[in-house]
Amino acid sequence: MPFYHQLGKIPPKRHTVFRQENGQLHREHVVGSQGFSGPQSILYHVHPPTRVLRTAAIHEVAPQANTESALKMRHFQLAGLPHARSTTFDRTPLLFNADVALWMVRPTATDEFFYRNAQADEIVFVAEGEGVLESQMGELPYREGDYVVVPCGILHRFRVEGDTRLLIIESAGMVRTPRRYRNEFGQLLEHSPYCERDIRRPQMLPVHDEPGEFRLLVKRQDVLTEVVLDHHPLDVVGWDGYYYPWALSIHDFEPITGSLHQPPPVHQTFQGDGFVVCSFVPRLFDYHEEAVPAPYAHSNVNSDEVLFYANDEFMSRKGVGYGSLTLHPGGLPHGPHPGRAEASIGKQRTDELAVMLDTFRPLKVARDALDLEDPDYERSWLE
């Protein structure tokens, strides 16, 4: 997590008497990962969070893999993904392995229930739209270009406004800032492409004290379970700690450039278990007088590379545009399309915007993504 944060009313000491105006105790609730040795926050509820009326399994949501085993470069034209109602129910699976899964959804309405992913952290890239992330830790406004990070187990929902497109990266391990950009105390260093000032945290904490039946959907072991509480779940009066949702705009990522082409690690934004996430943003090109700004062909034989194109520009590609998602699997070299290296010589800048995911275990293609695939992509390098 980024750093310590406090919001609302909390007692001076942990695990001590903290009463409501009616004399009842506030219900203390520790939320965290990695047992009691990882990041955590302490929440103070009006009602015990354990007051459950009933539960019922809804359905399985595990992605189903494409049975074709051929190793090839792929292009999915996600701009054509249809609208759907729910941020939670209507996610289309794209690519996945044991460490990470990619989904996309274009929700048209705010869910009537709240959601808790109890098996994964989520990085939600807001390709389009704006709104507010509601959670037990408070309200966090988001806008186009934001990465919204929701740690595992935090109850929340997206209050969507306008046309919305969300790329969701599920991480089986903890999402964190890259280790090389932090000192031994956890502070982001001077050479980091972003700092704590760029990270936005929940700032408003509306308190709901309402009886009734309130639905939650909890994802665990690839099953959605409906849990019905007898009170509104956003009844937290205060909390503090290191475990909470946060947002970082891709537009606040400061690119690292050089006189010659810089490799993809300079674009790294997040670190997970078995993968990294990088941000390609508008930047100056290489300034050596003989520089070739377009990337060279390369073979990372133990890594799969995924790119989501958040606008219509990318210096090394042709035939892709906003909403495209490409997969270049390990074992195959990949590089710029014909003519792109030559065309990049002498160019001073690029306005590209893209999110890259590199995995260290092979990705499977979900069956649901096949309807959106461009079958001619692997032949697009032919002159």
Side-chain angles (χ1 to χ4, degrees), residues 256-262 284-293 347-348:
I256 298 170
T257 60
S259 63
L260 296 173
H261 182 78
Q262 299 295 298
L284 296 178
F285 272 149
D286 321 319
Y287 46 85
H288 188 285
E289 61 182 13
E290 297 293 328
V292 179
K347 293 289 182 66
Q348 293 188 340

Side-chain angles (χ1 to χ4, degrees), residues 205-222:
L205 186 63
V207 181
H208 296 266
D209 183 8
E210 305 163 24
E213 295 194 3
F214 293 86
R215 297 169 59 215
L216 322 176
L217 286 187
V218 180
K219 182 176 180 179
R220 183 73 172 172
Q221 296 181 320
D222 289 323

Side-chain angles (χ1 to χ4, degrees), residues 58-318:
I58 303 298
H59 60 78
E60 294 188 11
V61 290
Q64 299 301 307
N66 171 32
T67 56
E68 179 192 6
S69 57
L71 192 69
K72 64 179 182 178
M73 294 178 284
R74 296 176 179 270
H75 172 208
F76 303 98
Q77 298 167 314
L78 302 183
L81 187 74
H83 289 282
R85 179 174 175 80
S86 171
T87 304
T88 305
F89 272 126
D90 297 320
R91 300 178 177 188
T92 297
L94 304 170
L95 304 166
F96 64 99
N97 63 21
D99 300 316
V100 65
L102 273 75
W103 311 69
M104 178 163 275
V105 64
R106 298 182 66 191
T108 58
T110 300
D111 286 337
E112 296 176 352
F113 50 85
F114 291 89
Y115 176 57
R116 176 186 289 133
N117 191 331
Q119 69 182 49
D121 283 15
E122 292 188 354
I123 306 171
V124 181
F125 178 71
V126 184
E128 292 177 46
E130 60 182 357
V132 175
L133 180 81
E134 301 175 298
S135 79
Q136 289 178 310
M137 276 81 166
E139 295 190 345
L140 176 62
Y142 64 85
R143 55 186 181 267
E144 184 174 309
D146 277 350
Y147 293 106
V148 181
V149 180
V150 185
C152 180
I154 290 181
L155 185 146
H156 68 280
R157 71 177 171 190
F158 283 84
R159 196 166 75 214
V160 300
E161 299 173 10
D163 199 10
T164 298
R165 186 189 301 267
L166 306 176
L167 178 71
I168 301 157
I169 303 172
E170 275 193 328
S171 170
M174 184 173 65
V175 171
R176 50 207 184 268
T177 54
R179 179 65 190 90
R180 69 181 180 279
Y181 291 140
R182 286 182 273 118
N183 61 26
E184 61 181 302
F185 307 104
Q187 184 178 14
L188 290 166
L189 294 164
E190 287 293 303
H191 65 278
S192 171
Y194 60 92
C195 74
E196 287 82 358
R197 296 184 190 182
D198 300 313
I199 293 172
R200 307 197 315 274
R201 301 161 289 171
Q203 295 297 329
M204 295 183 60
L205 186 63
V207 181
H208 296 266
D209 183 8
E210 305 163 24
E213 295 194 3
F214 293 86
R215 297 169 59 215
L216 322 176
L217 286 187
V218 180
K219 182 176 180 179
R220 183 73 172 172
Q221 296 181 320
D222 289 323
V223 174
L224 286 178
T225 295
E226 182 183 73
V227 179
V228 181
L229 301 181
D230 73 346
H231 63 280
H232 198 293
L234 303 189
D235 67 339
V236 174
V237 301
W239 64 274
D240 76 332
Y242 287 74
Y243 200 73
Y244 53 86
W246 52 283
L248 169 71
S249 174
I250 195 172
H251 303 298
D252 285 330
F253 184 89
E254 300 299 335
I256 298 170
T257 60
S259 63
L260 296 173
H261 182 78
Q262 299 295 298
V266 302
H267 306 289
Q268 186 180 352
T269 312
F270 303 105
Q271 176 179 337
D273 292 347
F275 73 94
V276 298
V277 175
C278 300
S279 300
F280 289 85
V281 300
R283 63 193 183 278
L284 296 178
F285 272 149
D286 321 319
Y287 46 85
H288 188 285
E289 61 182 13
E290 297 293 328
V292 179
Y296 36 78
H298 54 287
S299 295
N300 289 339
V301 295
N302 291 321
S303 178
D304 283 6
E305 178 192 276
V306 179
L307 268 169
F308 173 75
Y309 301 82
N311 67 9
D312 289 326
E313 294 205 22
F314 205 78
M315 64 166 166
S316 61
R317 295 280 183 271
K318 65 178 183 179

